[in-house]
Amino acid sequence: MTAAAEPTTRATDPSAPRTVRAACPQDCPDTCAMVVTVDDAGRAVEVRGDPEHPYTAGGLCVKVNNYLDRVYDPGRVLFPLRRTGPKGSGRFERITWDDALDEIATRFRGIVDEHGGEAIMPVSYLGTQGILNGLNVGDPFFAKLGATISERTYCDSGSCTAYAMTIGDTAGVDPESLVHSKFILIWACNVMSTNLHLWPYIAEARKRGAKVVVVDPVRTRTAAAADQHIPLRPGTDAALALAMAHVIISEGLTDQAYVDAHTVGFPEFAERVAQYTPEWAAAETGVPADTIRTLAREYAGGQPSVIRIGVAVERHAGGGQTVRALACLPALVGAWRKPGGGILQLPLWAFPVNWGAFMRPDMLTPGTRIVNQFLLGEALTGGLALDPPIKGLMVYNSNPVVVCPDQDKLIEGLQREDLFTVVSEQFMTDTADYADIVLPATTQLEQDDIMFSWGHLYVTYNHRAIEPLGEAVPNTEMFRRLAARMGFDDPVFRRSDDDMIAEAFDWSHPHMQGITVESLKDKGWQRLTVPPPDEYAPHAEGNFPTASGRTELAASAAAGGNFVVPLFRQGSNEFQPGQPVDPLPHYIPPREAAHTDPERAARYPLNLLTPKSHAYINSSFASHAFHRRVQKEPNVIMHPDDAAARGISDQDPVRVFNDRGEFTVLAKLDDAVMPGVVVSSLGGWRKHSKATATLAAVNSTQFADLGNAPTFSDTLVEVEIA
Ligand SMILES: Nc1nc2c(c(=O)[nH]1)N[C@H]1C(S)=C(S)[C@@H](COP(=O)(O)OP(=O)(O)OC[C@H]3O[C@@H](n4cnc5c(=O)[nH]c(N)nc54)[C@H](O)[C@@H]3O)O[C@H]1N2
Ligand SMILES: Nc1nc2c(c(=O)[nH]1)N[C@H]1C(S)=C(S)[C@@H](COP(=O)(O)OP(=O)(O)OC[C@H]3O[C@@H](n4cnc5c(=O)[nH]c(N)nc54)[C@H](O)[C@@H]3O)O[C@H]1N2
Ligand code: SF4
Ligand SMILES: [Mo]
């Protein structure tokens, strides 16, 4: 067990400057342990990374280094506000909490009485990922209200369905054991921007002789730092993965003893992949057949080998089957036998979070309708023919105007005069501009919380470091106040933050031995009670948490159909089985591509990718001057040949458009992107944009094949001089 030594919690002299242990709340795999210094006036004066924490190792990142500037930003929403101008105008007046709660309760009650609870829809995601204030904080309230269930499949939902079907809800490889890997395959993940603290482990492995390969249509800073970059056409990843399986099997590179003992469906799988030759995959992906052969041989031969998949791998029509194919590979080559071998997706599954105590699916009215948040624009404008229509909206922990596809329709919906919208925020985002009532939310320094991680195996405690600014409240307190005003008196609404912390984990779980609320409060963070990274090989002997206990090359769970992992659906732990899924991994080409939709491709020949910005977390931080300076003006990166064909020069303002919408940014010419691919990174706000819209205006609301995942990378556009 690893734990931090001195100092931090409170110093004995209450008036002396003190240091407080905290945790970065952002939706980022790294969940850094922070140390906050607070002066004797109760003002936070420094936030830094905890040097004792093995993973954080004293460093935060460009997003959060200046966290105090966010906390004390003059633009913070510090008091409840009521709209005074037209929707979207951003004109508001300060009101009291009492007035705000009265108005919300009166309006919500009126809507429920007239139209039923389903006429209210919550919209939320991961502005903070603390167990208390994050994903599930509003679930019991909206379940009690009988509101529409909000499906939140923004991030890794398709990947999780596919992963669970194949190897179960296992933590997979411990990121810290990557130092032992001999071959590291980074697939659709820009580690140096999005998972920064993993890089030192990769660098160490390299020092010890590992080869690092990146599969990405773009030569990102991560790809540039690797030994090899393999660019491929967006959304064709499964073709590459299946061709790797083809080479591994046809050339006898399998670890047959491991396959025989710890997989099911090998004969059918082998028969299936026989058709996916490297030559076929080369035509599909643009990767030369010889490169595919070499990749497969080196991957199989470089044991232990590891695949680090990014969230971006799911964002196209066949994203789910892509993850199915990738999750099969480690078993074929026996990668799981040693520490540092296997696949790394979300080690989150190792944390025994007591989700039920926060989601409270038992409080839902059976049969309550479910609406996916990607469809919010359509839901608000009548496109889904909802009965009852959505009359009330409550947004918290999210900025849908920037992160949700179909932006123009969403704006149209938010402008509806008969829609009552409440937004809880730290800042006046593009979404908050459309609120009737805005409620002020605290930042992480002003609230207690407890954190799992989706990038390492440490539990982290976040002590409140300072008093809430103005009248801001944590989300927990906001829902306590709302529930009280609605007259909801169930015990769940009377829980204090301490009560919730006590319920956060199954403390008796084997992974929590020696970890208690008290020890966490004291130490700040502790590693789960799992073997140390040098010995962490959870599937050396199989033991996959699947129905068969094996890697399911042929997935038995596919018979039950497509499903959404409970985490991604507000309040609900019910699977909603769809059509049965082919149990064997297969190739589903991108929906928007020249060979699948030639008519669309003729009009919109360029494939737009919208990955994460280096200096923002999703759309958070995109209003701060420092971050905007680092990120620079929003742009679209194009290959010089594509630009030349359109008469576009570097830094020209350009329109990026398709039949769904358009946005205007600067062109950046760079051969880091493949011809035919253009890249504009997510996060910039609409109100800062050149022409009122951002990239979400061109994204489609269509789901990927599994888990109702988004298809952001499956988007054709054209670009022209603005
Ligand atoms: N700096 C920063 N860090 C972040 C975030 C942030 O906004 N900014 N957000 C956090 C969140 S919520 C998440 S989900 C993670 C996501 O982190 P990542 O998984 O790294 O996601 P992205 O940056 O969106 O995309 C990674 C890479 O995938 C590539 N890509 C896109 N489509 C495809 C494809 O079809 N195939 C292949 N092979 N590659 C493709 C892109 O070119 C990009 O370089 O990052 C987290 N960390
Ligand atoms: N085109 C495109 N779209 C994408 C993606 C993409 O790659 N491309 N990525 C998708 C992914 S992976 C993700 S995870 C989503 C992210 O989508 P969101 O989770 O909506 O992320 P943010 O845009 O950062 O918005 C979070 C908001 O919550 C607020 N907030 C922070 N803490 C608190 C709090 O304690 N209380 C309250 N009430 N509010 C708080 C922040 O100020 C911020 O405005 O976007 C998705 N959308
Ligand atoms: S955003 Fe990620 S890398 Fe940056 S401080 Fe937070 S957890 Fe660490
Ligand atoms: Mo995400």
Side-chain angles (χ1 to χ4, degrees):
M1 164 109 32
T2 343
E6 293 299 292
T8 71
T9 63
R10 277 154 213 263
T12 38
D13 173 2
S15 69
R18 57 195 173 87
T19 51
V20 179
R21 288 194 177 282
C24 178
Q26 304 305 330
D27 184 6
C28 167
D30 294 9
T31 312
C32 287
M34 311 198 296
V35 180
V36 184
T37 308
V38 181
D39 72 10
D40 54 9
R43 192 179 165 89
V45 291
E46 188 186 57
V47 175
R48 60 192 159 87
D50 184 346
E52 312 277 342
H53 191 274
Y55 200 75
T56 307
L60 297 175
C61 69
V62 67
K63 287 98 66 188
V64 175
N65 277 331
N66 302 333
Y67 195 66
L68 290 180
D69 291 346
R70 181 169 175 85
V71 174
Y72 293 113
D73 189 297
R76 275 281 302 276
V77 175
L78 295 180
F79 302 96
L81 304 171
R82 178 192 287 130
R83 183 168 61 84
T84 54
K87 292 201 175 197
S89 67
R91 292 211 295 278
F92 290 86
E93 64 179 2
R94 180 177 165 183
I95 56 172
T96 64
W97 262 101
D98 228 27
D99 284 349
L101 291 169
D102 268 348
E103 186 160 335
I104 296 168
T106 307
R107 293 293 300 266
F108 276 6
R109 266 195 220 104
I111 292 169
V112 174
D113 288 348
E114 195 176 336
H115 304 278
E118 286 177 331
I120 296 174
M121 178 168 168
V123 170
S124 72
Y125 205 57
L126 279 168
T128 171
Q129 52 175 1
I131 296 175
L132 269 59
N133 289 292
L135 198 59
N136 305 107
V137 60
D139 291 2
F141 178 81
F142 291 106
K144 178 82 182 178
L145 205 56
T148 289
I149 294 176
S150 186
E151 188 173 79
R152 308 175 276 224
T153 54
Y154 273 117
C155 183
D156 237 27
S157 171
S159 177
C160 287
T161 298
Y163 184 91
M165 269 188 188
T166 315
I167 56 177
D169 57 351
T170 166
V173 177
D174 178 355
E176 288 181 79
S177 46
L178 253 63
V179 294
H180 301 295
S181 309
K182 290 287 170 264
F183 190 87
I184 300 177
L185 187 49
I186 302 174
W187 205 301
C189 189
N190 187 6
V191 176
M192 286 182 139
S193 284
T194 61
N195 186 192
L196 178 67
H197 295 83
L198 182 65
W199 189 258
Y201 298 93
I202 295 171
E204 175 61 25
R206 238 172 138 189
K207 225 185 278 169
R208 300 184 192 182
K211 180 169 181 182
V212 179
V213 178
V214 172
V215 176
D216 196 310
V218 185
R219 192 172 66 248
T220 58
R221 58 184 82 210
T222 308
D227 296 294
Q228 188 184 358
H229 171 215
I230 301 181
L232 86 175
R233 285 191 201 108
T236 64
D237 302 76
L240 180 57
L242 291 163
M244 284 175 70
H246 173 101
V247 175
I248 289 164
I249 295 172
S250 64
E251 296 190 2
L253 304 175
T254 48
D255 178 337
Q256 206 56 44
Y258 192 91
V259 169
D260 291 345
H262 305 305
T263 70
V264 288
F266 181 73
E268 305 95 285
F269 180 88
E271 197 185 326
R272 172 63 63 88
V273 302
Q275 64 188 292
Y276 297 125
T277 63
E279 281 68 23
W280 166 83
E284 200 64 28
T285 61
V287 181
D290 282 347
T291 306
I292 299 174
R293 284 202 176 81
T294 307
L295 173 66
R297 289 171 192 150
E298 290 184 350
Y299 168 76
Q303 293 310 316
S305 60
V306 67
I307 306 175
R308 191 332 174 217
I309 51 169
V311 173
V313 78
E314 72 173 8
R315 297 188 191 131
H316 55 265
Q321 288 302 329
T322 304
V323 175
R324 280 273 293 124
L326 288 167
C328 289
L329 294 177
L332 292 184
V333 299
W336 292 108
R337 286 184 186 278
K338 293 193 193 131
I343 189 164
L344 171 56
Q345 185 226 24
L346 301 176
L348 149 68
W349 306 120
F351 293 79
V353 178
N354 188 5
W355 298 109
F358 294 85
M359 289 181 177
R360 292 299 302 266
D362 57 300
M363 292 176 67
L364 290 168
T365 308
T368 305
R369 81 173 169 208
I370 298 168
V371 173
N372 191 288
Q373 292 190 17
F374 297 141
L375 306 176
L376 188 60
E378 286 191 58
L380 294 179
T381 52
L384 302 180
L386 295 177
D387 181 21
I390 307 288
K391 292 283 185 181
L393 204 62
M394 173 145 183
V395 184
Y396 56 99
N397 278 342
S398 188
N399 185 10
V401 167
V402 177
V403 300
C404 191
D406 211 6
Q407 188 177 71
D408 294 343
K409 201 165 280 169
L410 177 53
I411 297 288
E412 190 188 322
L414 290 173
Q415 279 170 333
R416 262 176 47 200
E417 277 305 326
D418 66 328
L419 179 72
F420 176 67
T421 303
V422 181
V423 176
S424 161
E425 253 301 345
Q426 299 166 340
F427 289 90
M428 286 309 293
T429 59
D430 288 334
T431 307
D433 282 348
Y434 291 89
D436 292 284
I437 300 283
V438 182
L439 297 175
T442 43
T443 67
Q444 187 78 334
L445 297 201
E446 302 150 71
Q447 63 198 17
D448 288 301
D449 216 323
I450 190 164
M451 323 283 298
F452 57 81
S453 167
W454 51 283
H456 58 62
L457 296 173
Y458 298 80
V459 187
T460 320
Y461 194 90
N462 182 72
H463 284 278
R464 181 165 97 172
I466 59 173
E467 291 303 312
L469 301 190
E471 294 180 358
V473 300
N475 293 334
T476 51
E477 174 63 15
M478 173 179 68
F479 280 109
R480 276 193 292 266
R481 291 184 185 183
L482 285 169
R485 198 58 65 110
M486 293 296 293
F488 298 165
D489 59 0
D490 312 49
V492 69
F493 300 119
R494 294 198 301 267
R495 292 181 305 173
S496 67
D497 286 4
D498 275 340
D499 294 339
M500 291 187 211
I501 285 166
E503 291 188 331
F505 290 104
D506 170 4
W507 300 97
S508 62
H509 191 278
H511 290 177
M512 299 300 280
Q513 299 312 298
I515 305 178
T516 62
V517 174
E518 287 316 310
S519 70
L520 278 171
K521 280 189 173 172
D522 182 38
K523 294 171 171 143
W525 48 266
Q526 285 179 279
R527 183 173 163 91
L528 292 174
T529 318
V530 292
D534 291 353
E535 297 163 21
Y536 192 89
H539 307 302
E541 305 292 336
N543 294 319
F544 292 94
T546 53
S548 62
R550 296 169 173 225
T551 286
E552 299 208 345
L553 304 173
S556 58
N562 184 11
F563 61 85
V564 172
V565 170
L567 196 59
F568 301 104
R569 187 177 290 161
Q570 180 244 332
S572 166
N573 70 349
E574 290 166 28
F575 288 168
Q576 192 188 41
Q579 292 301 308
V581 175
D582 183 341
L584 293 169
H586 52 280
Y587 181 58
I588 301 172
R591 206 172 273 135
E592 300 194 1
H595 60 310
T596 50
D597 192 346
E599 190 269 329
R600 174 172 284 275
R603 283 181 293 152
Y604 311 117
L606 301 168
N607 191 326
L608 174 71
L609 303 180
T610 57
K612 306 302 186 185
S613 291
H614 185 64
Y616 308 148
I617 278 275
N618 302 311
S619 79
S620 299
F621 299 95
S623 59
H624 303 306
F626 167 78
H627 295 79
R628 288 175 71 188
R629 236 181 0 259
V630 175
Q631 188 61 36
K632 304 208 175 71
E633 184 147 353
N635 62 28
V636 63
I637 309 173
M638 332 181 48
H639 192 276
D641 294 347
D642 287 330
R646 292 163 177 78
I648 295 170
S649 307
D650 198 51
Q651 299 304 310
D652 278 347
V654 289
R655 274 178 73 223
V656 182
F657 63 98
N658 59 23
D659 52 356
R660 294 180 285 261
E662 65 173 77
F663 62 100
T664 301
V665 288
L666 298 179
K668 182 179 172 197
L669 275 46
D670 192 336
D671 67 4
V673 301
M674 302 170 68
V677 175
V678 292
V679 180
S680 191
S681 64
L682 176 76
W685 288 12
R686 203 172 142 97
K687 62 179 130 192
H688 302 146
S689 70
K690 276 193 177 313
T692 67
T694 68
L695 53 86
V698 301
N699 282 147
S700 104
T701 56
Q702 294 214 63
F703 296 142
D705 56 330
L706 294 179
N708 294 353
T711 50
F712 300 129
S713 295
D714 202 338
T715 300
L716 286 178
V717 295
E718 178 56 294
V719 180
E720 66 179 28
I721 297 266

